[in-house]
Amino acid sequence: MKYLVLFLCFISNLSLKGQPLRAYEKAAQAALERTDYYNAIYYYEAVLQSKQKPAVYWNYAQALAGAFAHEQAAQAYAQAEEQAANYPNFYYCYGLSLQQSGQYEQAQAIWEKQELGPLSPYERAHIQECLKGLEMIGRQAEDQSWDCQNMGPKINGPSADYAAYPDSLGRLFFSALRQADAQAPFESQLYSQREKEQKAQRYWAIRSEQPLGASCWGAHYGIRYLSVITDSTSYLAYSYREENGRFSPPKALGNLPPRVSQPHYWALGPDSGYLYFVHRSEEQQEDIWRAKIKADSIVLTAVPLGPEINSMGRELSPFRRGDSLFFASDFWAGYGGLDIFCAIGDTVFNLGAGLNSAAHELYFYLEPGDSTGYFASNRKGSQQLKEAVCCTDIYRFESQRFLPPVVVDTPLVVQLDSPPPARPPYEELLTSLQQQLPIALYFHNDEPDSNSLAIVSSQTYRQSWDSYQALFPLYRQQNASSLAHWQNFEAQAKAQYAQLDSFERQLLRLLQQGYRLEVAIRAYCSPRSWTDYNFNLAQRRIDALLKDWESGPLAPYLAQEQLRLEWLPLGESRAPAGVNDRFDQPRWSIFSAAAAAERRLEIEFVSLKK
């Protein structure tokens, strides 16, 4: 969201009369360094009234480009060109402003002047992609099948409107930066249009004291995922619909990296799905990640998408429909700024002119019919706080087809002439490790160490499993009337146990390379006993696995705390409603597949620690 927030600063009303020129320049430079582009523009315009030097025009152009005023920025770069040699990336920056104001031929001529040697690895790779984008533009006519219409003032305000999607009744929801009154600061919140042709209003059904960014529905219309914005970062949260029709206050999702936003949920099965989101690293790189999520709020794994999607630049606003993943990128070959791309299998391509423009396009949403949807753009025609093209409006599109045909010779996402930097060696191993999770390990009733309040186990997990497996003939006998259910569970339990060896081997490989890891384990119990008893039983089950690891190759890494376990024990309170807990019905409360499925521990997540 950082590109949406830049325009929130107001131009200062300070008078410049009588102030020393040097003070203005100092104030302008300070504003530029803290990315306060509007105040920097204001001060540089004052300085240029008396000092029209190339160095001032260079800084002025940088401020204009930061505020997305690329047409004016290109004019300022032209005034600074006589001293281009003083700025190693001068023509790279100049060409970007020409490209993002739609002056493609001029941009190509300028980029041809840029020597690649002085550029950073990112700038070198990006300029190659930009040139490939210009080649693509030269071969393609505008796609007339895209009919894109601004949603108008009943939806869009003068600041940023974005991330639009409907509910089951077709009512539009979106996020927007607005002021409560003329003196109030801008704040992002959720808005909705309850009826067509009515003006959108603030959506009050979710109570939050903090600003809310992009949001999406979960597996059903009773849960929402939201970006919660704090002073210095953002995090993902979920909110449930309550009986009164309102939603609960947002609660943070655990097991996710810091600085995450822009959620999109994609249903996978009856009890789990994938949550796509954007993670901004400490180096300010923004990439798309995917988390597997269970029971609406339990994050099992979270991993970045591969280099086919995530570039050296910014990838934003993921949206998945079926086998297609849509996203915005400012790096891959395109029309300027952020463009919307589509990934299907191994093919990734730009959605083309007509939808994309020289300005920013992002937050693509496709309705179920695959012919209409929404996106956000700051293209010409959008409402603006200032003359600068800073702020996104919501657009609706209709198309005869939702995807342009894939043309083999069209350079869309193209491999770089020189390959991108290699991923760290641990990343492939860690991703492979996380993709195996969760691993569920099962126990016989009240094992290990039945009828005990101890929190440590006298057995390893493998010893407990051997005893449990020896009882499977008895389980089959007790489940004679529903044998298929038990056999399905038995096969699942054996497969999960077999997966443990592979997981431990890959964990060991990472530890042997010197990485510090934390493994999160959660234990479950069937509801035959009271909660305090089950709490201790859950801890014994985790301790049984720990004893396995303490007696094998992982032992030295546990002793040195290079490998750490995060214990997440749960008792009866988390068992699903309907699982039999009657002591006088052991056939159902002990031997049924439903009860057996609750007696487990799960290896849920592996994270890398510094």
Side-chain angles (χ1 to χ4, degrees), residues 186-371:
F186 279 80
E187 181 179 274
S188 181
Q189 284 295 347
L190 300 185
Y191 287 78
S192 68
Q193 186 184 43
R194 307 295 294 178
E195 300 288 343
K196 289 186 177 180
E197 305 307 322
Q198 287 187 354
K199 187 173 179 62
Q201 301 292 328
R202 169 83 179 271
Y203 183 67
W204 293 100
I206 297 180
R207 304 182 296 281
S208 173
E209 296 180 358
Q210 294 177 304
L212 299 177
S215 68
C216 68
W217 295 113
H220 48 81
Y221 291 101
I223 185 171
R224 306 278 286 270
Y225 295 106
L226 312 119
S227 301
V228 180
I229 303 166
T230 68
D231 290 340
S232 59
T233 186
S234 59
Y235 63 89
L236 294 186
Y238 65 97
S239 176
Y240 280 101
R241 188 187 298 276
E242 298 175 335
E243 292 182 0
N244 59 8
R246 297 176 67 89
F247 281 79
S248 64
K251 184 176 181 180
L253 285 164
N255 286 341
L256 291 176
R259 298 177 299 279
V260 292
S261 62
Q262 303 178 23
H264 172 69
Y265 181 90
W266 182 67
L268 176 67
D271 65 344
S272 66
Y274 286 113
L275 189 68
Y276 290 82
F277 59 93
V278 172
H279 170 240
R280 178 168 56 85
S281 69
E282 293 181 358
E283 294 76 28
Q284 308 302 308
Q285 182 165 336
E286 290 168 298
D287 285 338
I288 296 172
W289 284 48
R290 185 180 73 178
K292 188 173 183 181
I293 194 164
K294 181 178 181 181
D296 297 330
S297 60
I298 301 172
V299 175
L300 303 178
T301 60
V303 294
L305 302 187
E308 301 83 5
I309 304 292
N310 290 323
S311 70
M312 299 170 72
R314 295 184 299 164
E315 276 65 48
L316 304 172
S317 61
F319 170 79
R320 181 163 179 173
R321 170 62 52 76
D323 293 332
S324 302
L325 177 69
F326 301 87
F327 64 97
S329 174
D330 68 354
F331 181 85
W332 302 118
Y335 294 81
L338 288 155
D339 275 11
I340 297 169
F341 292 79
C342 178
I344 304 177
D346 296 332
T347 303
V348 186
F349 54 94
N350 189 301
L351 289 190
L355 183 74
N356 289 316
S357 72
H360 291 314
E361 281 76 37
L362 66 166
Y363 289 106
F364 181 89
Y365 179 91
L366 183 66
E367 294 198 56
D370 288 347
S371 62

Side-chain angles (χ1 to χ4, degrees), residues 62-104:
Q62 296 287 86
L64 288 165
F68 309 126
H70 288 290
E71 192 168 344
Q72 297 97 309
Q75 295 170 3
Y77 283 124
Q79 295 294 324
E81 188 174 6
E82 65 182 79
Q83 288 191 4
N86 294 340
Y87 310 105
N89 64 346
F90 179 87
Y91 289 110
Y92 166 76
C93 296
Y94 187 2
L96 284 181
S97 283
L98 288 166
Q99 178 209 38
Q100 293 184 46
S101 55
Q103 302 176 69
Y104 295 130

